[in-house]
Every structure is written in structure tokens, then in C-alpha cells.
Amino acid sequence: MKSKWLKRVGTLFLSLAVALTMGVTSFAAPVQDDSINVENVESGATVTAYQIVDEGNGSWVAANGVTIKDLSNPTAAEITAIATGITNGTITGLKTYNLTEANGIYSYSNPDAGMYLVLVSKVNSAKVYNPMIVSADYDAPDGSVDANTKFNSTAYAKSSEPTIDKSNVGMGNGNSNGGSAAAGDTVKFRIETTVPDYSDHYKNVVFNISDTLSAGLEKAKNIEVTVGDVVAVEGRDYTVNANGNTFTVEFDSDFILASGNLNVEVTYESVVKDTAEYNFDANTNTATLTFTNAPGANGQPGPTTDKEDKTYVYTFGLDADLSVKNKDVNKKTHEVIKVDENGAGENQGSETSSTEVSYTNALAGATFGLFSDEACKTKVMSATTNANGYMSMTGLKEGTYYLKETAVPEDSGYALNDHVYEVVIAASYNNDGTLDSYTVTIDGEATSTYTATYEGGVITGITSEAETTFIVNSKVPGLPSTGGMGTYIFTILGVLIMVAAVVLLKRRNRSSGRA
């Protein structure tokens, strides 16, 4: 009897258990790919997921402090408000997961079912990331609870990465990063970038463009700014602040936030100074873009990062240093040397020396003009030879010139050398704008070529294949001294001429008499 009772009780409990099981809504564990994932984020970033929707009693519920009208479909404004609250610290206590990076994907395994707001940050990042949503859903084939209705468990991060491009305008050599100009020339520069696509999560941003000109260039002038092909208004859209050879275009925050993805162009002009660097020492411009790359708290700009680009302006010289800044690779060039009537004497220097090579017959004090025309009417500059016969001229750009002696050393008795020498300067540049090599050719024959090698943008060596053109002066023939042999020669010649004249006159008279 007891055995039958136990069987009946057991059967009753079993039936009750089955009935209870069938009557409860099934909230199964997450699916097999139960992780939240974020792609398209650079390595080394901090990727944080904040749970904003959770499961409660068989339905979705918003987390404390979070307001979402349709829990399966939050609006952009609601997402922005939540992200702002998290950044400002007005929304706290959310369940938080730090996603870890593996194979280029940031993930967190076995999160609680629900919806997550993901924020990305990275110190000095070149990218600006906007908030995104991921979800971890239930395996609910009966459709009871499913956070994957509108969102996926993997998010592809949306980011903007502004670049900056600095260029020289109108140098005509096909390389916008580097070229040559002459002292006194006005050079135009252009800076181009794009405004990041800031989300509404960003309330206040920094977006500034600055440019620093080296000492060989005058301060910037005629600064113009366009945004989206429309001329921006100084004092409203931006302001310009100058400090020495640096100027900064500071954009208004609201203007930038309303100008996402628009192109920005800044142009200006500068004059090359007479004291500009020459040969392999460049006159540089460094443009820097400073921009907010993460939202700040309480309406303040967040952290910023910098990007920069550089251009190079070169001038060239005759009989000049290859590099004053880098003494380790410097050489003194000697394309044209003035010598006396004895011609080029013995070379007293070294081809690899940073000092001038001297010749025993060098002639000082001769003045030369460098002209832009073969008729030698338009003078570019002039120079007087020193004790080693050098006529150093600097501040030249690429092109063809004409060299002519314009004055001999005072009281030297020398005659002007009236030959006009054609001087051609040609250069080639690396892709980054640095000077690869340049060549000086005199009268189409004597050619000097100088080539640099670089490591990390720094010159490590300069090789040269150089020839020198020697310009020789001749003495003016002098008058004979009084009482010397020259006196007798001139006297004899005078007498002979007079005798000949008398003879011719007598013959003429006789002929006339016979007639």
C-alpha cells in the first residue's frame, strides 16, 4: 500500500514539474556567437561598451538614467544624449565592458543580453570616432525577446580621419612639395584639409591650422580661407593669430560642427629673403592641423591631436657652401674662378674641404654681373672676386643666366674679359620635396653636379662631380718707357714714312709736269 502511494506522489510531482516547465517563458542563454564585437578601430584604442538596455521579467528595460522611447530602436538624439551623459558623468552605474583586441577586432565574450552603447578613444589618434550600438540577443525562435531586431552584435565603427596637405603653388617643376625661387620672389602656398564628421556627441571642438615659416622667408601675407568652396568670414568663422613667423587660423567651434566632411583650403604668400638658405639648406614651411579627436565633458573641448606637412623652397649659389647647417657633409663649390694672365695655377686645396680651394694665380678684385638676358641688360646680381678668385653669388633659382665681367681690379692694368658665359642651373627633387641633386653648367661644357643622400629626412652625404671654369684676364699692352729701344724704333719708322711720302710727292710732281 505504501509503495503505491509513493508512486502516485512521484507521478504527481513529475507531472507538476512538466506543467510548470511548459508554462514558463524560455529565456535561453545567448547564442553560440555570444559576444559583442567592434570592427574598423585602430590598434591600441580603448573600446568601452556601456549597457543601456537590459532584460527584466521577460521584456527589455532601459538602464538607470537612460531614456529611450522605443527600446528596440533608439533615435540618434537619444544615443547622443546618453553618450553625452556618460561623458559628463551625469549617467553613472551602467554595466561596463572593456573590449579586447584580437586580429583587428575588439570583442567581449558572454555579455549579458541587452543593448550596448560603444565609445572609442585613443590618445593622439588621427581619427574621430562616433558612438555606436551593438547588442547581445537571446536565442528566442518563438520571438519572445530579441535584441537583434534592429541591431547586430557586431558594429563597424564610423570614423573620420582628417589629413593635411601643404603645397607650393606655381613653381612649375611638377613637384608641389619642393621647388626653387630667387631671393625677392613672392611664393604662394596652399594648405588643404577636411573637417571631421563630428557627431552631436561633440559639443565643443578645436580645429586650428597653423603654419611656421623658416627664417629665410618673410611673414605670411594675403591669407585667404575657404570652406566647402565658400570664402569663410574672418572674425565670424575664424580668427587669425600671428606670433613671429607663425600664424594660426583658429576656427569657430559651432562653424566646424556644422561643416562636417567639407574641404578646407588656406592660401597665403611669402617673400624669399636675401638671407635665404641656399643649395641643400632648405627654406621650409611646416603646416600643422590641431583637432579634437574625442568629446570633452561639460561642454568643453576634448583631447586634441596634431597632423603636419612640410614644403621646401630652395635657392642656389655659385662658388658657395653646399650645406651650412650640416657641417659634416659640407663642401665649398668652385664652379667659376677668376685667374690672372698666367691662367689656372696649382690647386692648393682639397676637393672635399669645407673651405675654399685656392689657386696660385687667383685674381682678386674683378667684378662680375649675372644677367637674365644674353644681351646683359637686366642684371640679377653682381659679385667681386676674393683672394681665391671666388665670385660667390647666392639666392638664385633654377634657370639660365649670363655671366660677364664688368670691372677689372683697380689700377691693375688688366683688360676686361668681354666673353659672356652662359650659366644654367637645374635641379631634381625627391617625392617629399627635398632636394635630390642640382647641376650647374657653364657654356654648355663645364658641368658640376651635386647629389645628396638622406636618412630619415636628414642629409647623410653629398657627392659631387665638379668642373671649374677659369676666367683669365690679360694685361693691357703698356706704352714704351722714355729713352728705351722703343723710342728708336718709333723714330726710324717715322723717318721711313716721311721719306716714302717725299718720294711719292716728287713722282707725282714729275708726272704732272710731263702732262
Side-chain angles (χ1 to χ4, degrees):
M1 188 72 179
K2 184 177 181 181
S3 175
K4 288 182 179 181
W5 182 82
L6 289 173
K7 285 182 179 181
R8 288 176 182 175
V9 172
T11 300
L12 180 61
F13 274 104
L14 181 60
S15 299
L16 182 60
V18 172
L20 289 172
T21 302
M22 293 178 62
V24 176
T25 302
S26 176
F27 291 102
V31 293
Q32 292 302 310
D33 57 345
D34 54 352
S35 63
I36 51 177
N37 311 284
V38 177
E39 298 182 11
N40 195 38
V41 175
E42 62 193 305
S43 180
T46 298
V47 181
T48 307
Y50 300 86
Q51 188 171 16
I52 59 175
V53 174
D54 197 358
E55 178 273 323
N57 298 322
S59 62
W60 296 122
V61 294
N64 288 334
V66 172
T67 300
I68 300 176
K69 186 176 181 179
D70 182 354
L71 293 176
S72 66
N73 189 24
T75 66
E78 289 171 335
I79 294 301
T80 297
I82 297 169
T84 301
I86 293 172
T87 302
N88 291 342
T90 57
I91 297 178
T92 60
L94 299 179
K95 188 175 292 182
T96 304
Y97 299 124
N98 290 320
L99 281 62
T100 57
E101 180 186 6
N103 300 320
I105 299 175
Y106 287 81
S107 302
Y108 187 89
S109 299
N110 301 315
D112 290 346
M115 188 183 297
Y116 294 83
L117 178 91
V118 179
L119 300 179
V120 179
S121 65
K122 186 175 187 294
V123 176
N124 293 326
S125 173
K127 294 185 176 182
V128 174
Y129 293 94
N130 290 333
M132 68 200 87
I133 294 292
V134 295
S135 66
D137 64 326
Y138 274 116
D139 183 9
D142 59 356
S144 56
V145 177
D146 184 4
N148 203 29
T149 302
K150 294 290 184 182
F151 304 100
N152 204 304
S153 59
T154 297
Y156 194 80
K158 182 181 179 182
S159 63
S160 301
E161 184 175 359
T163 59
I164 185 168
D165 180 41
K166 177 71 181 295
S167 58
N168 302 329
V169 180
M171 286 195 168
N173 64 347
N175 189 327
S176 62
N177 296 319
S180 71
D185 282 355
T186 296
V187 182
K188 187 174 183 178
F189 300 95
R190 179 188 295 121
I191 306 168
E192 296 174 284
T193 186
T194 303
V195 179
D197 184 17
Y198 289 112
S199 69
D200 291 340
H201 185 201
Y202 292 80
K203 304 300 181 183
N204 196 346
V205 295
V206 170
F207 191 82
N208 298 335
I209 296 174
S210 62
D211 197 299
T212 300
L213 295 83
S214 62
L217 299 169
E218 292 184 1
K219 296 178 182 179
K221 61 180 182 179
N222 300 330
I223 300 172
E224 296 183 356
V225 180
T226 59
V227 179
D229 298 325
V230 176
V231 177
V233 178
E234 185 175 3
R236 184 192 69 185
D237 304 329
Y238 70 93
T239 57
V240 176
N241 294 307
N243 182 12
N245 261 27
T246 298
F247 73 89
T248 302
V249 178
E250 299 182 359
F251 287 90
D252 176 75
S253 174
D254 290 340
F255 177 72
I256 290 299
L257 290 173
S259 303
N261 291 324
L262 293 182
N263 295 327
V264 178
E265 180 179 287
V266 177
T267 60
Y268 70 92
E269 295 176 340
S270 176
V271 176
V272 181
K273 295 181 180 179
D274 291 339
T275 56
E277 305 286 356
Y278 51 84
N279 292 341
F280 285 98
D281 290 340
N283 303 278
T284 60
N285 304 64
T286 302
T288 303
L289 171 65
T290 302
F291 62 96
T292 296
N293 69 341
N298 302 315
Q300 297 300 311
T304 61
T305 191
D306 293 340
K307 280 195 168 185
E308 68 177 37
D309 195 21
K310 182 183 291 187
T311 58
Y312 303 82
V313 176
Y314 290 90
T315 71
F316 298 100
L318 300 175
D319 295 354
D321 290 282
L322 285 175
S323 173
V324 174
K325 293 180 178 178
N326 192 339
K327 294 296 184 182
D328 293 336
V329 299
N330 190 29
K331 299 177 183 179
K332 198 81 171 182
T333 70
H334 42 91
E335 292 88 8
V336 185
I337 299 294
K338 183 68 175 174
V339 293
D340 62 22
E341 75 275 13
N342 296 311
E346 183 181 353
N347 183 343
Q348 302 294 307
S350 168
E351 294 295 324
T352 60
S353 173
S354 60
T355 59
E356 292 180 350
V357 174
S358 61
Y359 296 87
T360 53
N361 297 332
L363 181 63
T367 301
F368 285 80
L370 191 68
F371 300 84
S372 60
D373 60 314
E374 191 171 4
C376 296
K377 300 295 185 182
T378 306
K379 185 183 291 185
V380 176
M381 64 178 60
S382 61
T384 301
T385 58
N386 64 13
N388 291 323
Y390 280 65
M391 55 184 78
S392 182
M393 298 181 181
T394 59
L396 304 172
K397 64 181 178 181
E398 298 167 67
T400 301
Y401 301 90
Y402 299 91
L403 182 69
K404 181 181 179 181
E405 188 174 27
T406 57
V408 297
E410 187 176 357
D411 299 327
S412 65
Y414 284 104
L416 278 175
N417 185 315
D418 59 2
H419 181 74
V420 177
Y421 296 84
E422 182 186 67
V423 179
V424 179
I425 301 175
S428 64
Y429 302 88
N430 299 308
N431 290 336
D432 64 355
T434 53
L435 180 62
D436 173 51
S437 66
Y438 78 95
T439 298
V440 178
T441 303
I442 311 294
D443 271 359
E445 296 179 358
T447 300
S448 299
T449 298
Y450 311 97
T451 304
T453 55
Y454 293 82
E455 185 174 327
V458 177
I459 295 178
T460 57
I462 298 176
T463 59
S464 62
E465 299 176 5
E467 295 184 30
T468 302
T469 296
F470 295 97
I471 299 179
V472 182
N473 266 45
S474 300
K475 290 279 190 179
V476 176
L479 294 174
S481 58
T482 303
M485 286 296 296
T487 304
Y488 297 108
I489 293 174
F490 278 106
T491 301
I492 293 172
L493 288 174
V495 170
L496 291 175
I497 291 172
M498 291 176 66
V499 170
V502 171
V503 171
L504 289 173
L505 182 60
K506 286 183 177 180
R507 287 181 178 178
R508 183 176 179 182
N509 290 335
R510 288 175 182 173
S511 298
S512 298
R514 285 196 297 267

